[in-house]
Structure formats: structure tokens, C-alpha cells
Amino acid sequence: MHSTVIPELLAPAGSPDALIAAVSAGADAVYLGGAQYGARQNAINFGKPEMEWALRYCHTRGVRVYVTLNTLLSDAEMQYAVQYASWLYELGVNAVIVQDVGLADILHTFVPGLPLHASTQMTILSKDGLKWVHALGCLRVVLPRELTIREISEMYADSDGCYPEPEVFVHGALCYAYSGQCLLSSLIGGRSGNRGSCAQPCRREYTLLSGDIDEWGLPVKESLRMVKTQYLLSPRDLCTYPKVNDIIKSPAVSLKIEGRMKSPEYVAAVVYVYRKALDEAKNGSFVFSDADILTLRAAFNREFTAGYILDEKSGTVMGPEAPGNRGVHIGLVCSYDARKKMAEISLSGTYIPETGDGLSFSDGTPGFFGGTVLRNAPAIRNRNLWMRVPMPVQPGNQVFLTKSGRSFEYATSLLRKNASQMIPVDLTLSFEDNTPVLTGTSFSRMGEVSVSVKAGFSFSPAQNRPVSLQNISELLSRTGDTPYYVRSFSSDYPGDLFAPIREITGFRREFFAALEDAAEKSFRPEQTAVDVVRAALLCESGLKTGDSRQIPHAPLEISVYVSDCEAVRGALAAGCHRVYFEPQGRSDISGSCDYSDRWAQWMCSHIAQAASLCNEAGVDLIWKWPHITRQRFLDFACSILPKINEMGVKGVMVENISALSAVRRASPAVPIYGGSGLNIFNSHSARIVGSDCVSVTLSPEISFDSIRELVSRLISEEEAYPIPECIIHGPAELSVSEDCIIATAHGRCLRCRDIPGGRQWFGIKDVKNHIFPVTIDDECRTHIWNSRETCVIDHLDLLVNAGIRHVAIDCRIRNGQYAESVINTYKKAFELLFIGKSMKSREIQELKDRLQKMASGGITTGHFLKGVEEKGEK
């Protein structure tokens, strides 16, 4: 018979009930979060007692447990996070999922026996990135949802076991932006996705605007035109079920279902469908089932898409019509009797409502205006359903199935049974001088566990009726609430002995308790390994918050981010010290980016022109790479790296690990500058990433207090350290998405210049009338920028006291006049600061007012004053 090796099925567990549902429905592994340091802080999650229960529950059933520690950590939090991870290690957790590279390095060094999985928030996009995180100690990487099967297969084509194994998402909600590269929730509402509290602003309504720009690079309000109002940032839900055969042919070793915020009923339904599909695929018998798709849609859906993973970038991923559950359309209201509260519904399609189904009603606008549950057996005649509906409905209202009674009952039964996937045990009963010895071996998905228990009592010669072997077998096979069932039973019982039933049943309970203990302990490390970890962590003073070190004074340097040569000229005219140049806008090349020779010529000519300008001014030009660098870009960019030295380029700025590793491999001598996309939030991350970098740009989510701690720790050791830099002014880049928002609004990609009247500026407006600038890059990705510009000109004393001597101003979506004016304004402010002027002085306030007038939608200090807190107790 045909048989295929199938990947692990990995299910979400946002609560104990969801965990039970996942395990019972057939998950091979679950992922869950503790009370802190996880990226779903609004889930119920697991405190320490619940975590101990979860590990025992799963491990006795042969199910692996991965715990999320996938938030960015400050230096002050690192010690607690490491202690928590070491506690998980002692409990036998199968892996922890990490985003923070500093945490990963510490755990790999001091808790080497703890398996590490690189979170999707690390944004690993290439072979070079895979090698880097593997060297960091990660055995698995959760790949970005934006990578296709083709790209993943190419990445692993020559891995030779040197890369971390790949895990991919196969079902559930999609993020609009690349995970780990999104500040939408953070800077709009103060709830950071990188810190576990995303408020999902992508599910809100936005209006796409186009217009002209003025001499400052700002939109002219009178010229703004509304292109479309929809839920423009709301993706559909991923569903790869119909193409399971394609998924299992990929290199992926684990198929991940998203949904730690979802109900146990949702988890049960989705895991059931994918378990069934994978088991069928293993034997070559998988056939797409309409009934299974209905189960998935009834559980929750925003309409389904096969996602980027199956090469469906255009037209299917986004669902701008509505942001919430779509349900399953089953019919239309024909009539409604308000007095009896009875509705007549004309059914369409093949689905027939059942008792327990939840039905919702829509008047054609997004969402539902009401719903009810079908409490009794439905009355159906001639494809018409009569049912009680408590709220008034109108003829023509659409009717949707939004909860499947059958799926709900299935999930309820799983919780009630506490496990449907029972583990077989082979039992052997022997006797030593009439004392029973029970030996058993269980066979779970994680292997065999054996245990032998000798009873604390003895059988005695029977005076009247001996206990029969059949009776003994029946008594010992009653496994009760344990996860086991007895598959086989053998014994050398002589047949002429007797023992009280209570002794035999007590012996059975003792044996199965011992078997559960053995299964749980099989996952735990040896005590000697635990002792080594404890001793190492006890001696590691670098994890503790130490005394603040005196931060040395150094000359202040101002860098500037620009995207064209006009802005380069403006920055140089103001006397900046460094230029980060990210050329954009191939106005002379039509079509999508193909990285052809013509494209290389265009790129090189623009870099050379900018470098020439900088060299004449005695200023370093750094070629800035984009936030997202897939393998195609890396191959292209690395191919022209040898030319940049001839052009006078002084280095490369990278925004992700894949790009960092690619530059270091391709051109070891090229100076590297770390961008904000590397998410440097603590000194450990700064040192790990900075070992290859001249400087590292700190996370836009970090506070002045955390910056001071970070800088103090960096200089506390005698080793060389990267220069910490902060972006102190300009519109923050909030998100990068594979979606082209122009295509989403128009139904097809027109490219910016083909939109009537929209050649120069785009933005999106939210319901509060905040306008966020939007740019489309050379690969048709959407970049969203903050509606207000970061500005800390009246807090420069805090910045300097925190130890920052290198600052940057972001002018990528503004022009040369803006760049020149902003740099001059900050230079004047620093002069005032260094001669002792208060940041509350009239002169500083006048400078702030000047910047505010140049800002697109006002100014903000961002997170510099308060930072972003993580929910949960330490």
C-alpha cells in the first residue's frame, strides 16, 4: 500500500479546554503561551500550575508542547525570561519559540538542552537567514506566511541537514504585514504586536486617497481624491486543506494552525479536518471533501484563500469586503411574522440546518445584525425552513450558518471524554512468590514507554473459588479516565489463587499512575543536566541588572534616510554626517521588478550618482536595502556588491537577518549597518547582531530608560560593541505587506502612475480621519507610514543622557527641502542643548513649532517616553 511520510500537525492552545480539544482531535503537537513573553497576551494562556498540567496532559498522550517566548525583551526583563525558560526546560517542554535573538543566544549558551524554534517574527527569508539562526541554536524556523512552496523548496534544496527544519502555517488568520515588521498597532494605539498585544488595526475600515504633493513633499489637501473605502488591510483566512497533497510534498516538517484566540470548538473542528486529510494523504487516499470544507467554514472564516504559500499573491489573499466571520450562506428570508416571531427561510445550496446550528442574518452591509440558535428539530418543507427568530428580519435578508451544532457537539464530546485518541498498552502479568508484577508498554506518537510495578500485596491460595484469569484481565483493563486502553494482555497466572477485588483495582490504578509518570518523565532532562544549567545561570551576572556605568561623551552625528538624489542634496546642504540611501521609483522602467541587467544598470547609476554627491561633501553614503529581502533580491544585490566600493559607497544597511548574513557571506569586508527592522530591544541582541555591524539602529518601540540600560550594558564590557543609533525624527515605517493596496482597491494592479490623478501621493484615512501615507515599492509591496511624524526635539536631553550619540532622521517619503530644513532645525537644537538651554525654553519650543508645521499629520514622541509594556506578571 502507498504510504507517505507526513508532517507534524501543530495546533493552537489558547486555553486548557482548547488544548484538550486539540489533543483529542488528533494534533501531534500544540503551541501555547505562558502568563508573559508570548505574542498572544489576550488569550487565556497558562500560568505555572496550568503549564505543569498541560505538559503532563500532553506528554502522557505522546503530544509535543511548544511554548511561546516570542516577544521582544528589554534588558530589565531578560533575567526573568531566562529563568522562566529554564523552568520550562526542567519540566520537559519540547521547545520554546523565540523572536528575540538576544534571548535565543543566552538560552543556547546556558540552557543548551532546550530546543529553540525561531519565530516567524524573525522574518527568515533566505538560505543565509536559515544558516544564521541555525548557528544561533535554532532547530526549527517558523517561516513567514509570505513565502511560497516553490521558494521554500529552493531554500532547502541543498540544506544537507545544516538548516533548521521548516514549519509553515496552513490554516487560520493571516497578518496584513510581515510578522515582526509591523508597528501599526504599536504606534497607532500603543499595543505592540512585538510585545504580545496587537489590537489588529488591519481589520478596520480605511479610505484609499490619492493626490498631489506640495514643495515639502506633503499632500495638497485640496487635491485629495477618494479612491475607495473598504477594509483594505483585512486579509482572508488561510486554508490549504484542498491542497494538502501539495503541502506535504514540500520540505515542511510541521503544519501549523493559527488560532490561540479561538474557541475549543474551532480548534476541535479544524484539527479534526486536517488530521483526517493528513491520514488519508499518508495512504494516498485523500480526496477533497465538500463536507470538510463546510466544517472549516462553519468554524470561522473571512472567506478562504490558499495564501501566498501556494503562489496565490494576486487577487485571492485580501478580503476587503468585511473583516469578520463570513459564515456559510444557506438562504434568504422569505417572510417574517412579527407577532409569532417566526421566519420563513428559503434554503439554497446543499446544506440542511440541524439542531444546535447558529444562524446569523445580514442586510447586505458588512457583518451581521443579529442571530439565533436552532433549538429544536427544524421544520423544513419544499426547501423552506420555518424557525423562531427573536429579532425582526426582513424579506431578502441573507441567512448564514455561523456555528455548526454538529461541530460544537463534537468538540463538547472531546472535552467530556477528555481524549478520543487513546494510547494502546500491552500488559503482562507475572508472579513472584504469588506477588503480582504488572509490566506494560505504551505506544504513543512519541515512542514507547515501559514500566513495571510490583504490588504491595500477595495472592493467597484459594480456599473456595479462585480468581479467574478472565476476571483479572477485565479488572486490570479498566483504564477509566487515563489516556490508555489495553490492547493485549498476557499472564503466567497459575489459576488457583485469590485476592480481593479492591486490591487488584488498587494495583491497577497504581500501575497506570506509574505509567503516566514514566511518560511524563521521559520528556524531562536528567537531573545532572538540570544542575549544570542552574549553576551556569547562577554565575551569569550579565543577566542581572547592574549599576549604571558612566556613558562617555562623544561627538554627535546625524544620519539621514533618503530615497532619491534630490533628498541627498538637501541632506548634504544641511551638513549631515551620513546618508542611508534606499533608491526607489523606477519611473523609466515599466512592469514589475525582474532584476534584469536593465534594472541593475538603473540601480547602479542611482547609487553612483548619490555616492558622487556624498563623496564631494566628504560624507559617507550607505546603500540601504529594503525591509523585506527575498532570495531574488539578495542574489541580485550581492551580485553588484563588488561594484559599490568603486562607486565610493561606504557600506550597506540591512533590515533583517537574511540580508545581514547574505552581505557577510558575499562580501566579508563590506561595513554593515543594522536597521530598525532587526528589532534591537536589548544589549544582548545588540551584541549578537552587532558582531557583524558597525552600528545598530534601536527598535522604535524602546524607551529612553531602556536605551540607557542598553547602552550602559554595552559599554560595561571591554569587548568592542556596535554603535547604537536611534531614529529621532520622521514618519515611522509602520508596516510592509506583500499586498499591493492599489490592486486590492481596484481589483487589479495598475501601478501608481496609471491611476488617474494619482501619480504623486497615496495614503489611507481611518475612521478618525488620521491619514497614513502609503508607498508602493519596486516589487509592488505596500508600505504604510505613520500619520504623525516622530519628533523628540524637546527631549534631546533625555536622549543624550541615555547615551545616544548617533541619531537619524527619516526623509524617505519627503523631499530635499524637508530634509535640509529638519536637519538644520535639529542641529540648532543640539547647539542649544550643549550650551545649557532647557528643553522647555522658548527657543526649543519655536524649533518644535517649526517641525510641527512641516509634519504631515502632527508630531509624536512615539514610545521614547513610556515604551511599550508587555501584559502579564513577572
Side-chain angles (χ1 to χ4, degrees), residues 330 347 350-355 357 359 374 377-378 380 385 387 401:
I330 63 170
L347 299 176
T350 60
Y351 184 74
I352 304 299
E354 302 175 348
T355 303
D357 283 352
L359 304 183
L374 194 57
I380 301 175
L385 164 69
M387 66 175 293
L401 172 72

Side-chain angles (χ1 to χ4, degrees), residues 2-271:
H2 172 81
S3 182
T4 301
V5 177
I6 59 174
E8 164 191 272
L9 181 58
L10 176 58
S15 69
D17 280 351
L19 182 144
I20 293 172
V23 173
S24 300
D28 298 304
V30 296
Y31 65 101
L32 50 89
Q36 64 273 332
Y37 314 126
R40 289 293 183 272
Q41 287 301 314
N42 292 320
I44 294 175
N45 291 320
F46 294 75
K48 285 194 172 183
E50 292 82 8
M51 186 66 73
E52 291 176 344
W53 167 84
L55 285 163
R56 181 177 179 87
Y57 183 90
C58 291
H59 285 166
T60 56
R61 290 159 176 79
V63 173
R64 292 176 285 272
V65 179
Y66 310 137
V67 176
T68 57
L69 292 177
N70 56 341
T71 61
L72 299 180
L73 299 167
S74 68
D75 281 290
E77 295 166 324
M78 189 64 74
Q79 179 185 1
Y80 301 101
V82 172
Q83 288 174 347
Y84 181 65
S86 66
W87 175 74
L88 291 172
Y89 165 71
E90 294 181 20
L91 288 181
V93 70
N94 298 93
V96 294
I97 306 169
V98 295
Q99 174 190 9
D100 195 297
V101 296
L103 175 64
D105 179 68
I106 291 171
L107 294 179
H108 181 50
T109 302
F110 294 100
V111 196
L114 177 62
L116 302 178
H117 292 179
S119 168
T120 186
Q121 291 167 286
M122 279 196 187
T123 324
I124 304 303
L125 298 161
S126 69
K127 296 177 182 179
D128 291 299
L130 292 173
K131 292 176 182 177
W132 198 92
V133 294
H134 193 257
L136 191 66
C138 296
L139 303 181
R140 179 183 291 186
V141 57
V142 188
L143 293 172
R145 297 168 176 88
E146 290 80 4
L147 289 177
T148 67
I149 283 183
R150 176 182 53 80
E151 287 176 299
I152 295 169
S153 298
E154 290 173 355
M155 286 166 64
Y156 281 86
D158 57 352
S159 65
D160 197 26
C162 297
Y163 298 168
E165 58 187 27
E167 176 179 304
V168 299
F169 286 91
V170 295
H171 193 92
L174 291 169
C175 290
Y176 179 70
Y178 277 84
S179 291
Q181 302 298 320
C182 183
L183 300 173
L184 270 172
S185 176
S186 177
L187 285 174
I188 291 176
R191 290 175 55 183
S192 167
N194 284 322
R195 300 277 284 163
S197 301
C198 180
Q200 296 188 326
C202 53
R203 300 298 181 186
R204 299 172 188 166
E205 191 175 60
Y206 295 92
T207 299
L208 179 63
L209 305 173
S210 70
D212 303 320
I213 56 174
D214 63 16
E215 69 276 12
W216 293 100
L218 292 174
V220 178
K221 292 184 179 179
E222 295 77 13
S223 75
L224 290 181
R225 292 166 289 277
M226 184 178 74
V227 177
K228 197 163 192 179
T229 299
Q230 271 188 320
Y231 298 91
L232 294 170
L233 312 185
S234 182
R236 295 175 178 176
D237 284 350
L238 178 64
C239 176
T240 64
Y241 159 77
K243 299 186 178 181
V244 159
N245 284 326
D246 293 335
I247 293 290
I248 64 174
K249 292 175 185 175
S250 76
V253 302
S254 181
L255 309 184
K256 188 171 195 171
I257 297 167
E258 188 279 336
R260 278 198 287 143
M261 300 293 292
K262 293 293 198 303
S263 68
E265 292 76 27
Y266 172 90
V267 173
V270 176
V271 172

Side-chain angles (χ1 to χ4, degrees), residues 651-693:
V652 173
M653 171 173 273
V654 298
E655 297 278 6
N656 60 68
I657 289 168
S658 295
L660 171 68
S661 184
V663 176
R664 187 49 68 234
R665 169 187 54 79
S667 297
V670 170
I672 301 177
Y673 295 75
S676 63
L678 289 165
N679 287 325
I680 304 302
F681 210 74
N682 57 69
S683 60
H684 303 278
S685 296
R687 282 197 176 278
I688 296 303
V689 172
S691 62
D692 284 313
C693 296

